[in-house]
Amino acid sequence: MAIRLKEVDAVMVGMGWTGSIMARELTKAGMTVIGLERGEDLTPREHFALPNIRDELKYTYRKELVQDPALETLTFRHRPSEMALPMRRMGSFLPGNAVGGAANHWGGLHWRYLPSDHLCRSHIVNRYGPKAIPTDMTIRDWAMTYEELEPYYDRFDKLCGVSGKAGNLRGQKVSGGNVFEGARSSEYPNPPLKMTESALMFEKAAKELGYNPFPQPISNSSRPYTNIEGLTLGGCQYCGHCDKSGCEANAKAGPHVCILPLLRAEPKFTLRARSWVSRLVYDKRGKKVTGVIYTDTRTGEEYEQPAGIVVLSAYVFGNISLLFHSKIGVPYDPMTQKGTVGRNYCYQLSRMGVTMFFENKEFNPFMGAPGASMALDDFDGDNFDHGGLGFLGGSRFACGHADGRPIGYRPVPPGTPRWGAAWKKATAKNYHHAASIAVSGSNYANRYNYLDLDPTYRDQLGRPLLRLTYNFVENDYKVMEYTVNAAAKIARAMNPTIMGPARIRRGDYDIVPYQSTHNTGGTVMGHDPKTSVVNRYLQSWDAHNLFIMGASTFPQQPAYNPTGPVGALAYWSAEAIINKYRKSPGPLVHA
Amino acid sequence: MGNDDNPIPRRGFLVGAGTAVAASLTSLSAEAQTSTATATPPAVATAAEGTLTLTSAEQAFFAAAVDTIIPADELTPSGSDCGVVVFIDRQLAGAYGSGAKLYRSGPFHKGKPEQGYQLPLTPREFFAAGIVATNAWSRTARGKDFDRLAPKEREAALKELESGKVELSDFNGKQFFEALLEITMEGFFADPIYGGNRNKAGWRMVGYPGLPAVYTNLIDEYRNKRYSVEPQSIADFS
């Protein structure tokens, strides 16, 4: 029997970005909050310190800050007719494993989604007609517009100290910024990072071709910055260790730098690390949850934590699996397209682009950051005319140097052997002279890409693993082909000595190599409880005191990194809880 | 003595760094000194270090393999002289080798390549089984264990494994080759604190400066200009 604890106003399941934002907002409003985190607690001063933080083997290859699949992983297959097998090693995506979540080891790219991304289906129908959308493509509008979410995007920008250059300030286009972005109410909190030589070369070539390059927005402060909570971030050191690692300079935004110091000092807040929530306690008739059951991973002891409000703030897969394990909502069935939990799983098209070699350029590839790069949105979303192209969506391009860590970064021209004397020679010769245009594509929902529970494999607590059924579809291959070829045109204009082949992905999705931690969907937002899990305030249709955060609420995935809207939505939902739900607990939207 | 041109363990000893890793390096270093003083000189150069988990046959296999993947030339000493076998021995003896961060519950099915690793073996067990299978194939195809082959023959054998055309007995030769290549590259380029990349040979080969990696001002100063310094590692700052 679980030991029953004293009730609190709200409990967070997961203490990454969204759990931290929500806990901060609710305690500020006077509520008592407990933050439960499966992993251990960390502090940047102890865990992200020199010299040991500069360790490529430990962080990139042994995945120090990444979820342990021995505790919980998922099974994977390409299509419903196949047998799913467990992802025994983390590869394609890397959820976090500690207080701070995946934000401990994220790269920091910080975007807002386009106004047309928020209105994905209706925008396409308006511009190209309803027949432009294939019948199996289950794309949807978001449950709020860009304009509605803008103040919350703005707030999250100012929490993180995002560095960048606005391209649309209150409706005025600003040269040098992203001319395609939605209107911003204010300029970025910090100026862009310094650009690498490769980024400047890309910018020049792209401009000459008539495109609109701009500094890639990044949650690394380009200078010391005091955020809206009064906490100070350091200036970026261009160390080349951003992704997969913690930030020694406290320049990369994350809960530990931007919020947690205040929560740790807050008497209304309690942080409980090593507390693994196995299910929610669901009162189906009352359409509410009464608390959560969790296991203390140090002792194995089980506890029941009653709470007035439960916030699911785990990673995408954790949120979805907790709904299944708690029997909240109807599982999605791809054959009938009925049910909601697990539908509209999307990912991102990555590991694409072009590598170039410039024999007379010196890049010092180890000096950089993901944001020390120029981006280009001319082939993203619906920023270009899709008439006659036969696909929807697009890709984001970027060029710069983020990381010269040599176990992983060893560019050699095509045709070079992978080992032996000739490999050594080519590696030594080219390390300083290569640059790459990276292409990252949107991934629009398909009825056969979804999540449910696996019939065979179990996690460490004995619960069934989540089962992922996912593959690329025709639309994805066309996006990759078209946009990578467009990137190759810019690469040629940069006039390299040697140009590698355009990396266009063909064949089935592969769960082994790292691609991006940009999984989305499964608990999607919407206006109709028959086709969505949460309403526009991220409130569950099936339990009015359950709020579900994060990218699991996205109906489809644009080409951007998801953290910007993830943070904005947490602020948006927190405000709805404080201003609307607390005054009159119950459904905030009547279907 | 092999350790003489490797400043890391000695530095760890002198500075008395408090980390567990530094402590274990220090004791290894001491152990290596005693064992070389008393034991018979071993067949391969790296044996002077002693091993944590590798058998002598496995050690000979890895030395032959990493010296074929990273042959000695004007750029660097051979893979084993760069400590890559020591690196592999320590990795396989530790948490990684024992299956840390690996989901190990059954049942086990072959699956498609895109579903990833599906064997019940830990990395330690995987390499043990792979070496047995590769040596058996080597004896059938070339009459000798892999490490007894001449350098040209080793190169040919690894190329055959890499091509995926070799059928090892109950083992996937291509999968084994890929794992061997990966752990060799890790040993050649990881921070020397793990026992490989001795004297930062891998870092020197490409011109990677290592630590502290604070480039706030240098990124402008060295724009389109080679930044070339004596590389520094974790141990140099511990």
Side-chain angles (χ1 to χ4, degrees):
Chain A
M1 265 311 273
I3 299 163
R4 201 179 148 88
L5 302 168
K6 191 167 158 273
E7 177 160 350
V8 290
D9 292 332
V11 63
M12 308 293 126
V13 182
M15 281 304 291
W17 266 129
T18 62
S20 300
I21 288 173
M22 191 59 94
R24 174 68 177 148
E25 295 305 297
L26 299 188
T27 51
K28 274 200 290 191
M31 297 167 72
T32 52
V33 176
I34 283 182
L36 299 176
E37 165 58 46
R38 171 166 61 190
E40 64 175 331
D41 196 7
L42 298 176
T43 56
R45 199 163 75 173
E46 185 179 350
H47 294 91
F48 302 159
L50 274 173
N52 291 75
I53 197 64
R54 306 276 200 250
D55 186 340
E56 184 185 14
L57 185 77
K58 178 177 177 180
Y59 291 99
T60 305
Y61 286 84
R62 300 295 176 258
K63 305 186 179 95
E64 176 76 5
L65 297 172
V66 173
Q67 182 177 322
D68 182 353
L71 303 186
E72 187 178 10
T73 180
L74 47 74
T75 66
F76 161 65
R77 59 183 178 176
H78 286 123
R79 40 191 76 85
S81 57
E82 296 175 354
M83 183 184 181
L85 293 177
M87 177 174 66
R88 296 185 179 276
R89 285 196 173 108
M90 290 293 177
S92 181
F93 37 83
L94 305 173
N97 69 348
V99 171
N104 291 332
H105 68 273
W106 72 315
L109 293 178
H110 191 128
W111 295 90
R112 299 177 178 195
Y113 286 4
L114 297 168
S116 56
D117 291 330
H118 279 258
L119 299 170
C120 191
R121 175 171 280 271
S122 55
H123 171 90
I124 289 166
V125 168
N126 286 341
R127 189 167 176 187
Y128 305 107
K131 285 187 184 148
I133 302 175
T135 43
D136 285 351
M137 186 185 277
T138 53
I139 52 172
R140 235 21 114 55
D141 287 2
W142 280 40
M144 75 291 290
T145 63
Y146 171 85
E147 289 73 20
E148 286 178 298
L149 201 58
E150 201 286 332
Y152 308 87
Y153 274 127
D154 186 62
R155 206 157 151 204
F156 188 49
D157 285 355
K158 289 169 179 167
L159 180 82
C160 295
V162 187
S163 300
K165 171 93 183 97
N168 182 344
L169 261 182
R170 295 175 288 275
Q172 296 296 310
K173 299 277 168 154
V174 185
S175 87
N178 183 7
V179 296
F180 298 104
E181 70 179 356
R184 290 175 176 272
S185 53
S186 47
E187 180 51 277
Y188 279 95
N190 285 304
L193 292 187
K194 295 175 186 186
M195 290 295 129
T196 62
E197 181 68 7
S198 49
L200 298 179
M201 290 161 61
F202 172 81
E203 180 189 29
K204 183 167 175 288
K207 274 188 179 161
E208 282 167 10
L209 289 168
Y211 301 136
N212 298 280
F214 57 94
Q216 186 151 233
I218 179 96
S219 261
N220 287 9
S221 269
S222 53
R223 58 186 178 189
Y225 169 77
T226 300
N227 76 3
I228 47 171
E229 293 282 12
L231 296 169
T232 299
L233 286 76
C236 178
Q237 300 180 336
Y238 303 84
C239 71
H241 287 265
C242 261
D243 65 297
K244 320 286 193 305
S245 205
C247 180
E248 183 266 334
N250 285 343
K252 183 172 79 176
H256 285 293
V257 185
C258 299
I259 308 176
L260 283 166
L262 296 169
L263 276 178
R264 289 181 197 278
E266 167 62 61
K268 290 186 178 304
F269 177 74
T270 308
L271 175 64
R272 277 192 210 136
R274 297 207 176 278
S275 300
W276 182 354
V277 175
S278 55
R279 67 182 168 90
L280 315 186
V281 185
Y282 183 38
D283 172 4
K284 192 169 181 176
R285 184 169 297 182
K287 282 203 141 192
K288 61 179 185 170
V289 286
T290 58
V292 304
I293 305 290
Y294 73 88
T295 299
D296 182 327
T297 66
R298 294 163 302 185
T299 61
E301 196 79 63
E302 200 170 61
Y303 295 89
E304 178 176 354
Q305 176 61 63
I309 291 173
V310 174
V311 176
L312 286 185
S313 46
Y315 191 66
V316 168
F317 301 115
N319 288 352
I320 302 165
S321 70
L322 279 170
L323 292 188
F324 282 128
H325 297 317
S326 314
K327 300 191 169 25
I328 300 173
V330 180
Y332 171 72
D333 179 344
M335 300 310 158
T336 61
Q337 297 199 70
K338 291 203 166 64
T340 58
V341 184
R343 69 178 299 155
N344 281 47
Y345 171 80
C346 295
Y347 190 39
Q348 204 144 58
L349 312 176
S350 33
R351 291 179 81 80
M352 303 185 293
V354 193
T355 301
M356 303 156 286
F357 300 86
F358 300 87
E359 63 182 13
N360 297 320
K361 287 281 178 187
E362 291 285 346
F363 292 124
N364 297 315
F366 39 82
M367 296 182 183
S373 59
M374 294 299 283
L376 191 125
D377 254 3
D378 295 69
F379 296 92
D380 199 352
D382 198 40
N383 296 339
F384 58 108
D385 186 0
H386 286 71
L389 293 180
F391 68 87
L392 298 167
S395 295
R396 167 178 64 83
F397 303 170
C399 183
H401 281 92
D403 141 36
R405 304 189 299 258
I407 303 175
Y409 184 84
R410 292 181 272 112
V412 286
T416 307
R418 298 164 70 211
W419 49 278
W423 165 79
K424 284 179 73 180
K425 215 171 152 187
T427 303
K429 185 179 168 196
N430 289 288
Y431 179 77
H432 284 264
H433 304 297
S436 188
I437 300 177
V439 177
S440 167
S442 61
N443 188 213
Y444 284 177
N446 180 279
R447 67 180 283 192
Y448 296 110
N449 288 335
Y450 71 106
L451 291 145
D452 63 356
L453 287 183
D454 190 88
T456 308
Y457 293 95
R458 294 184 175 263
D459 70 15
Q460 200 191 43
L461 292 181
R463 307 175 305 169
L465 292 181
L466 213 51
R467 175 170 66 180
L468 169 63
T469 304
Y470 177 75
N471 207 354
F472 300 136
V473 298
E474 195 190 343
N475 190 74
D476 302 318
Y477 295 114
K478 288 181 174 171
V479 168
M480 296 194 256
E481 176 95 27
Y482 184 84
T483 60
V484 176
N485 283 328
K489 198 175 139 192
I490 303 175
R492 272 191 294 277
M494 289 169 72
N495 200 21
T497 322
I498 300 171
M499 189 163 127
R503 287 194 302 277
I504 299 169
R505 287 182 66 175
R506 297 190 172 90
D508 291 334
Y509 167 66
D510 184 349
I511 206 160
V512 179
Y514 182 69
Q515 284 143 82
S516 77
T517 309
H518 304 163
N519 318 76
T520 64
T523 73
V524 299
M525 62 170 100
H527 300 296
D528 181 354
K530 287 198 191 66
T531 54
S532 59
V533 171
V534 294
N535 64 26
R536 72 195 304 255
Y537 300 108
L538 310 191
Q539 180 186 37
S540 162
W541 293 111
D542 296 294
H544 62 76
N545 61 343
L546 172 62
F547 291 80
I548 305 176
M549 301 295 106
S552 59
T553 64
F554 297 3
Q556 59 276 324
Q557 174 61 338
Y560 297 124
N561 310 54
T563 302
V566 163
L569 286 171
Y571 277 122
W572 157 273
S573 180
E575 195 173 284
I577 292 174
I578 294 161
N579 292 343
K580 297 183 201 289
Y581 184 82
R582 276 215 305 173
K583 285 177 191 143
S584 122
L588 296 175
V589 177
H590 290 280
Chain B
M1 239 193 57
N3 266 345
D4 278 351
D5 38 56
N6 179 4
I8 293 96
R10 195 173 55 222
R11 190 183 170 91
F13 179 71
L14 291 173
V15 178
T19 68
V21 179
S24 76
L25 280 171
T26 307
S27 62
L28 266 175
S29 171
E31 200 175 281
Q33 285 171 29
T34 353
S35 71
T36 41
T38 53
T40 323
V44 286
T46 49
E49 318 275 340
T51 60
L52 298 172
T53 185
L54 296 182
T55 65
S56 57
E58 289 168 339
Q59 191 184 25
F61 175 89
F62 277 122
V66 305
D67 290 353
T68 312
I69 292 170
I70 303 164
D73 57 17
E74 71 285 0
L75 291 167
T76 74
S78 70
S80 55
D81 283 342
C82 291
V84 175
V85 181
V86 175
F87 170 90
I88 293 171
D89 178 50
R90 290 183 192 169
Q91 286 298 307
L92 296 186
Y96 171 72
S98 312
K101 296 215 163 179
L102 181 65
Y103 178 79
R104 296 190 61 207
S105 301
F108 295 92
H109 298 280
K110 190 160 178 245
K112 301 158 96 172
E114 297 88 358
Q115 290 174 307
Y117 185 79
Q118 293 297 337
L119 301 178
L121 305 171
T122 63
R124 174 69 185 94
E125 295 162 345
F126 174 88
F127 278 109
I131 289 170
V132 168
T134 303
N135 274 335
W137 165 68
S138 181
R139 283 194 301 273
T140 309
R142 294 186 165 83
K144 291 175 192 166
D145 280 349
F146 176 79
D147 61 284
R148 300 297 179 94
L149 302 176
K152 281 286 162 205
E153 285 182 296
R154 288 179 197 165
E155 210 177 302
L158 286 190
K159 275 185 188 156
E160 285 174 46
L161 284 177
E162 184 182 21
S163 75
K165 286 173 194 150
V166 176
E167 294 249 352
L168 301 184
S169 170
D170 295 324
F171 215 74
N172 182 329
K174 168 80 174 159
Q175 186 183 19
F176 177 65
F177 174 83
E178 293 299 329
L180 178 64
L181 183 64
E182 181 173 300
I183 202 165
T184 302
M185 292 301 168
E186 287 174 357
F188 192 46
F189 289 113
D191 190 284
I193 202 164
Y194 294 99
N197 191 10
R198 186 175 289 163
N199 196 26
K200 298 146 194 158
W203 290 1
R204 288 177 202 280
M205 182 180 103
V206 295
Y208 179 67
L211 278 68
V214 175
Y215 300 122
T216 318
N217 299 318
L218 298 173
I219 191 167
D220 276 335
E221 195 181 330
Y222 285 88
R223 182 172 297 287
N224 201 16
K225 235 176 5 191
R226 175 77 62 104
Y227 178 71
S228 189
V229 290
E230 177 69 21
Q232 290 184 286
S233 66
I234 290 171
D236 294 328
F237 287 86
S238 298

PDB file of all heavy atoms in Angstrom, chain A residues 427-448:
ATOM      1  N   THR A 427      41.849  13.160 -42.605  1.00  0.00           N
ATOM      2  CA  THR A 427      41.268  13.755 -41.397  1.00  0.00           C
ATOM      3  C   THR A 427      42.133  14.914 -40.906  1.00  0.00           C
ATOM      4  O   THR A 427      41.627  15.988 -40.568  1.00  0.00           O
ATOM      5  CB  THR A 427      41.134  12.670 -40.297  1.00  0.00           C
ATOM      6  OG1 THR A 427      40.345  11.597 -40.809  1.00  0.00           O
ATOM      7  CG2 THR A 427      40.469  13.230 -39.048  1.00  0.00           C
ATOM      8  N   ALA A 428      43.445  14.667 -40.871  1.00  0.00           N
ATOM      9  CA  ALA A 428      44.370  15.723 -40.427  1.00  0.00           C
ATOM     10  C   ALA A 428      44.294  16.918 -41.378  1.00  0.00           C
ATOM     11  O   ALA A 428      44.329  18.075 -40.951  1.00  0.00           O
ATOM     12  CB  ALA A 428      45.794  15.170 -40.374  1.00  0.00           C
ATOM     13  N   LYS A 429      44.141  16.657 -42.650  1.00  0.00           N
ATOM     14  CA  LYS A 429      44.162  17.721 -43.656  1.00  0.00           C
ATOM     15  C   LYS A 429      42.886  18.572 -43.625  1.00  0.00           C
ATOM     16  O   LYS A 429      42.928  19.784 -43.851  1.00  0.00           O
ATOM     17  CB  LYS A 429      44.332  17.082 -45.034  1.00  0.00           C
ATOM     18  CG  LYS A 429      44.499  18.100 -46.144  1.00  0.00           C
ATOM     19  CD  LYS A 429      44.680  17.443 -47.494  1.00  0.00           C
ATOM     20  CE  LYS A 429      44.545  18.528 -48.567  1.00  0.00           C
ATOM     21  NZ  LYS A 429      44.330  17.967 -49.889  1.00  0.00           N
ATOM     22  N   ASN A 430      41.746  17.939 -43.353  1.00  0.00           N
ATOM     23  CA  ASN A 430      40.469  18.638 -43.565  1.00  0.00           C
ATOM     24  C   ASN A 430      39.800  19.193 -42.315  1.00  0.00           C
ATOM     25  O   ASN A 430      38.823  19.933 -42.422  1.00  0.00           O
ATOM     26  CB  ASN A 430      39.494  17.701 -44.290  1.00  0.00           C
ATOM     27  CG  ASN A 430      39.903  17.490 -45.732  1.00  0.00           C
ATOM     28  OD1 ASN A 430      39.764  18.388 -46.555  1.00  0.00           O
ATOM     29  ND2 ASN A 430      40.456  16.325 -46.026  1.00  0.00           N
ATOM     30  N   TYR A 431      40.302  18.809 -41.130  1.00  0.00           N
ATOM     31  CA  TYR A 431      39.611  19.180 -39.896  1.00  0.00           C
ATOM     32  C   TYR A 431      39.339  20.687 -39.806  1.00  0.00           C
ATOM     33  O   TYR A 431      38.282  21.118 -39.376  1.00  0.00           O
ATOM     34  CB  TYR A 431      40.447  18.713 -38.697  1.00  0.00           C
ATOM     35  CG  TYR A 431      39.856  19.064 -37.350  1.00  0.00           C
ATOM     36  CD1 TYR A 431      38.786  18.326 -36.832  1.00  0.00           C
ATOM     37  CD2 TYR A 431      40.350  20.131 -36.604  1.00  0.00           C
ATOM     38  CE1 TYR A 431      38.235  18.645 -35.600  1.00  0.00           C
ATOM     39  CE2 TYR A 431      39.800  20.448 -35.375  1.00  0.00           C
ATOM     40  CZ  TYR A 431      38.750  19.707 -34.874  1.00  0.00           C
ATOM     41  OH  TYR A 431      38.202  20.028 -33.660  1.00  0.00           O
ATOM     42  N   HIS A 432      40.276  21.497 -40.214  1.00  0.00           N
ATOM     43  CA  HIS A 432      40.129  22.956 -40.083  1.00  0.00           C
ATOM     44  C   HIS A 432      39.445  23.614 -41.272  1.00  0.00           C
ATOM     45  O   HIS A 432      39.210  24.812 -41.257  1.00  0.00           O
ATOM     46  CB  HIS A 432      41.506  23.596 -39.892  1.00  0.00           C
ATOM     47  CG  HIS A 432      42.051  23.418 -38.515  1.00  0.00           C
ATOM     48  ND1 HIS A 432      41.927  24.361 -37.530  1.00  0.00           N
ATOM     49  CD2 HIS A 432      42.692  22.370 -37.947  1.00  0.00           C
ATOM     50  CE1 HIS A 432      42.472  23.918 -36.415  1.00  0.00           C
ATOM     51  NE2 HIS A 432      42.959  22.714 -36.640  1.00  0.00           N
ATOM     52  N   HIS A 433      39.156  22.844 -42.304  1.00  0.00           N
ATOM     53  CA  HIS A 433      38.737  23.468 -43.568  1.00  0.00           C
ATOM     54  C   HIS A 433      37.326  23.134 -44.016  1.00  0.00           C
ATOM     55  O   HIS A 433      36.944  23.505 -45.122  1.00  0.00           O
ATOM     56  CB  HIS A 433      39.723  23.069 -44.675  1.00  0.00           C
ATOM     57  CG  HIS A 433      41.138  23.414 -44.348  1.00  0.00           C
ATOM     58  ND1 HIS A 433      41.567  24.711 -44.161  1.00  0.00           N
ATOM     59  CD2 HIS A 433      42.214  22.625 -44.111  1.00  0.00           C
ATOM     60  CE1 HIS A 433      42.851  24.707 -43.856  1.00  0.00           C
ATOM     61  NE2 HIS A 433      43.270  23.450 -43.804  1.00  0.00           N
ATOM     62  N   ALA A 434      36.567  22.420 -43.170  1.00  0.00           N
ATOM     63  CA  ALA A 434      35.224  22.004 -43.591  1.00  0.00           C
ATOM     64  C   ALA A 434      34.153  22.880 -42.963  1.00  0.00           C
ATOM     65  O   ALA A 434      34.319  23.414 -41.859  1.00  0.00           O
ATOM     66  CB  ALA A 434      34.993  20.547 -43.213  1.00  0.00           C
ATOM     67  N   ALA A 435      33.069  23.064 -43.688  1.00  0.00           N
ATOM     68  CA  ALA A 435      31.888  23.750 -43.151  1.00  0.00           C
ATOM     69  C   ALA A 435      30.676  23.013 -43.714  1.00  0.00           C
ATOM     70  O   ALA A 435      30.796  22.268 -44.685  1.00  0.00           O
ATOM     71  CB  ALA A 435      31.862  25.210 -43.580  1.00  0.00           C
ATOM     72  N   SER A 436      29.537  23.229 -43.079  1.00  0.00           N
ATOM     73  CA  SER A 436      28.375  22.452 -43.478  1.00  0.00           C
ATOM     74  C   SER A 436      27.115  23.302 -43.405  1.00  0.00           C
ATOM     75  O   SER A 436      26.974  24.127 -42.504  1.00  0.00           O
ATOM     76  CB  SER A 436      28.277  21.242 -42.542  1.00  0.00           C
ATOM     77  OG  SER A 436      27.288  20.373 -42.994  1.00  0.00           O
ATOM     78  N   ILE A 437      26.230  23.104 -44.365  1.00  0.00           N
ATOM     79  CA  ILE A 437      24.889  23.671 -44.252  1.00  0.00           C
ATOM     80  C   ILE A 437      23.997  22.559 -43.715  1.00  0.00           C
ATOM     81  O   ILE A 437      23.918  21.482 -44.318  1.00  0.00           O
ATOM     82  CB  ILE A 437      24.344  24.165 -45.612  1.00  0.00           C
ATOM     83  CG1 ILE A 437      25.264  25.247 -46.197  1.00  0.00           C
ATOM     84  CG2 ILE A 437      22.922  24.713 -45.448  1.00  0.00           C
ATOM     85  CD1 ILE A 437      24.834  25.736 -47.576  1.00  0.00           C
ATOM     86  N   ALA A 438      23.382  22.813 -42.566  1.00  0.00           N
ATOM     87  CA  ALA A 438      22.501  21.805 -41.971  1.00  0.00           C
ATOM     88  C   ALA A 438      21.071  22.116 -42.368  1.00  0.00           C
ATOM     89  O   ALA A 438      20.645  23.270 -42.374  1.00  0.00           O
ATOM     90  CB  ALA A 438      22.639  21.826 -40.460  1.00  0.00           C
ATOM     91  N   VAL A 439      20.335  21.065 -42.700  1.00  0.00           N
ATOM     92  CA  VAL A 439      18.945  21.217 -43.122  1.00  0.00           C
ATOM     93  C   VAL A 439      18.065  20.403 -42.184  1.00  0.00           C
ATOM     94  O   VAL A 439      18.324  19.233 -41.942  1.00  0.00           O
ATOM     95  CB  VAL A 439      18.762  20.727 -44.575  1.00  0.00           C
ATOM     96  CG1 VAL A 439      17.304  20.804 -44.999  1.00  0.00           C
ATOM     97  CG2 VAL A 439      19.640  21.536 -45.521  1.00  0.00           C
ATOM     98  N   SER A 440      17.049  21.068 -41.640  1.00  0.00           N
ATOM     99  CA  SER A 440      16.151  20.397 -40.705  1.00  0.00           C
ATOM    100  C   SER A 440      14.722  20.615 -41.185  1.00  0.00           C
ATOM    101  O   SER A 440      14.307  21.751 -41.403  1.00  0.00           O
ATOM    102  CB  SER A 440      16.373  21.020 -39.322  1.00  0.00           C
ATOM    103  OG  SER A 440      15.351  20.633 -38.457  1.00  0.00           O
ATOM    104  N   GLY A 441      13.983  19.532 -41.391  1.00  0.00           N
ATOM    105  CA  GLY A 441      12.691  19.659 -42.046  1.00  0.00           C
ATOM    106  C   GLY A 441      11.496  19.420 -41.143  1.00  0.00           C
ATOM    107  O   GLY A 441      11.578  18.752 -40.118  1.00  0.00           O
ATOM    108  N   SER A 442      10.363  19.967 -41.582  1.00  0.00           N
ATOM    109  CA  SER A 442       9.110  19.769 -40.853  1.00  0.00           C
ATOM    110  C   SER A 442       8.654  18.321 -41.004  1.00  0.00           C
ATOM    111  O   SER A 442       9.099  17.595 -41.888  1.00  0.00           O
ATOM    112  CB  SER A 442       8.028  20.690 -41.424  1.00  0.00           C
ATOM    113  OG  SER A 442       7.796  20.379 -42.787  1.00  0.00           O
ATOM    114  N   ASN A 443       7.782  17.908 -40.112  1.00  0.00           N
ATOM    115  CA  ASN A 443       7.245  16.552 -40.166  1.00  0.00           C
ATOM    116  C   ASN A 443       5.751  16.639 -39.855  1.00  0.00           C
ATOM    117  O   ASN A 443       5.363  16.878 -38.717  1.00  0.00           O
ATOM    118  CB  ASN A 443       7.982  15.685 -39.140  1.00  0.00           C
ATOM    119  CG  ASN A 443       7.634  14.213 -39.234  1.00  0.00           C
ATOM    120  OD1 ASN A 443       7.607  13.523 -38.232  1.00  0.00           O
ATOM    121  ND2 ASN A 443       7.353  13.716 -40.423  1.00  0.00           N
ATOM    122  N   TYR A 444       4.946  16.481 -40.895  1.00  0.00           N
ATOM    123  CA  TYR A 444       3.506  16.646 -40.732  1.00  0.00           C
ATOM    124  C   TYR A 444       2.843  15.320 -40.384  1.00  0.00           C
ATOM    125  O   TYR A 444       3.264  14.263 -40.862  1.00  0.00           O
ATOM    126  CB  TYR A 444       2.899  17.257 -41.999  1.00  0.00           C
ATOM    127  CG  TYR A 444       3.167  18.752 -42.125  1.00  0.00           C
ATOM    128  CD1 TYR A 444       2.756  19.480 -43.225  1.00  0.00           C
ATOM    129  CD2 TYR A 444       3.834  19.444 -41.102  1.00  0.00           C
ATOM    130  CE1 TYR A 444       2.996  20.850 -43.335  1.00  0.00           C
ATOM    131  CE2 TYR A 444       4.085  20.811 -41.203  1.00  0.00           C
ATOM    132  CZ  TYR A 444       3.660  21.506 -42.325  1.00  0.00           C
ATOM    133  OH  TYR A 444       3.902  22.854 -42.417  1.00  0.00           O
ATOM    134  N   ALA A 445       1.802  15.398 -39.564  1.00  0.00           N
ATOM    135  CA  ALA A 445       1.186  14.200 -38.994  1.00  0.00           C
ATOM    136  C   ALA A 445       0.609  13.287 -40.060  1.00  0.00           C
ATOM    137  O   ALA A 445       0.094  13.737 -41.081  1.00  0.00           O
ATOM    138  CB  ALA A 445       0.091  14.610 -38.018  1.00  0.00           C
ATOM    139  N   ASN A 446       0.714  12.000 -39.782  1.00  0.00           N
ATOM    140  CA  ASN A 446       0.130  10.974 -40.644  1.00  0.00           C
ATOM    141  C   ASN A 446      -0.654  10.011 -39.762  1.00  0.00           C
ATOM    142  O   ASN A 446      -0.237   9.703 -38.649  1.00  0.00           O
ATOM    143  CB  ASN A 446       1.255  10.228 -41.375  1.00  0.00           C
ATOM    144  CG  ASN A 446       0.708   9.148 -42.290  1.00  0.00           C
ATOM    145  OD1 ASN A 446       0.385   8.049 -41.854  1.00  0.00           O
ATOM    146  ND2 ASN A 446       0.563   9.484 -43.568  1.00  0.00           N
ATOM    147  N   ARG A 447      -1.785   9.526 -40.260  1.00  0.00           N
ATOM    148  CA  ARG A 447      -2.658   8.708 -39.400  1.00  0.00           C
ATOM    149  C   ARG A 447      -1.979   7.455 -38.870  1.00  0.00           C
ATOM    150  O   ARG A 447      -2.365   6.922 -37.838  1.00  0.00           O
ATOM    151  CB  ARG A 447      -3.940   8.316 -40.147  1.00  0.00           C
ATOM    152  CG  ARG A 447      -3.705   7.369 -41.308  1.00  0.00           C
ATOM    153  CD  ARG A 447      -4.991   6.998 -42.019  1.00  0.00           C
ATOM    154  NE  ARG A 447      -5.771   6.003 -41.290  1.00  0.00           N
ATOM    155  CZ  ARG A 447      -6.805   5.357 -41.830  1.00  0.00           C
ATOM    156  NH1 ARG A 447      -7.178   5.644 -43.074  1.00  0.00           N
ATOM    157  NH2 ARG A 447      -7.467   4.461 -41.148  1.00  0.00           N
ATOM    158  N   TYR A 448      -0.967   6.927 -39.567  1.00  0.00           N
ATOM    159  CA  TYR A 448      -0.327   5.679 -39.137  1.00  0.00           C
ATOM    160  C   TYR A 448       0.880   5.901 -38.215  1.00  0.00           C
ATOM    161  O   TYR A 448       1.533   4.935 -37.820  1.00  0.00           O
ATOM    162  CB  TYR A 448       0.073   4.838 -40.356  1.00  0.00           C
ATOM    163  CG  TYR A 448      -1.126   4.391 -41.166  1.00  0.00           C
ATOM    164  CD1 TYR A 448      -1.384   4.920 -42.425  1.00  0.00           C
ATOM    165  CD2 TYR A 448      -2.034   3.463 -40.635  1.00  0.00           C
ATOM    166  CE1 TYR A 448      -2.493   4.522 -43.156  1.00  0.00           C
ATOM    167  CE2 TYR A 448      -3.150   3.073 -41.353  1.00  0.00           C
ATOM    168  CZ  TYR A 448      -3.382   3.606 -42.608  1.00  0.00           C
ATOM    169  OH  TYR A 448      -4.493   3.223 -43.322  1.00  0.00           O
TER     170      TYR A 448
END
